[in-house]
Amino acid sequence: MRDDNCIFCKIANGDIPSDTIYEDEEFRVILDLSPASKGHALILPKTHAANLFELDDEICAKVLILAKKIGKAMQTALCCDGINIVQNNGEAAGQTVMHFHVHIIPRYNGEKQIVAWEPKQSIPEEQREIVEKIKTALI
């Protein structure tokens, strides 16, 4: 299924030209037009899902294998020093296009980190409460 109003559906299915580095029946991998670093790519499923939680389980299982394949090729071709694999869900997490996608971002020594956070102090009682809430939600 695709969403005719979704720009990533249009790109993934070839309606809008892109710098494609990989394509198969289920995915198109393109270079990002606003890259965080040289070689920044996006894995786009050809079927529409707004986020990870709407994504078909079969596609979900395949996306990490594809990320590994693209990341290894980047290390070889671009001589990058590391790779960030990033997937955002919802605006609060930084998702700007509501079509599931994965960023594969080559990292080079000397660049500023872009996927970082400031560690906070954990509180044992709060940690236990969080564990129980999540365990209950898994049922």
Side-chain angles (χ1 to χ4, degrees):
M1 182 174 107
R2 62 184 273 184
D3 179 343
D4 290 332
N5 296 315
C6 173
I7 187 135
F8 279 4
C9 280
K10 292 176 183 177
I11 294 169
N13 289 284
D15 300 335
I16 296 175
S18 63
D19 291 317
T20 299
I21 60 175
Y22 175 87
E23 182 178 13
D24 63 22
E25 292 180 6
E26 297 165 314
F27 299 98
R28 181 180 298 258
V29 181
I30 65 168
L31 290 182
D32 195 309
L33 289 176
S34 300
S37 70
K38 178 180 159 187
H40 179 169
L42 301 175
I43 298 176
L44 306 175
K46 291 184 177 180
T47 56
H48 184 80
N51 56 49
L52 176 67
F53 311 113
E54 293 181 10
L55 192 65
D56 177 79
D57 285 348
E58 186 176 323
I59 297 296
C60 192
K62 292 177 180 178
V63 76
L64 194 56
I65 293 167
L66 181 54
K68 176 183 174 184
K69 179 178 186 170
I70 299 300
K72 273 182 95 170
M74 286 178 170
Q75 286 182 316
T76 299
L78 303 176
C79 300
C80 56
D81 301 301
I83 300 279
N84 286 126
I85 298 174
V86 179
Q87 200 282 308
N88 302 317
N89 293 283
E91 287 182 39
Q95 185 178 8
T96 58
V97 178
M98 299 307 150
H99 178 110
F100 173 88
H101 57 285
V102 175
H103 296 261
I104 310 296
I105 307 170
R107 301 313 317 240
Y108 304 91
N109 287 334
E111 287 184 332
K112 179 182 172 191
Q113 281 192 355
I114 57 171
V115 180
W117 56 87
E118 189 175 316
K120 296 177 176 52
Q121 183 71 32
S122 66
I123 301 167
E125 302 87 36
E126 185 178 55
Q127 295 287 90
R128 286 190 292 277
E129 182 180 320
I130 291 168
V131 166
E132 290 308 314
K133 284 181 178 181
I134 295 172
K135 281 183 175 181
T136 300
L138 284 171
I139 297 172

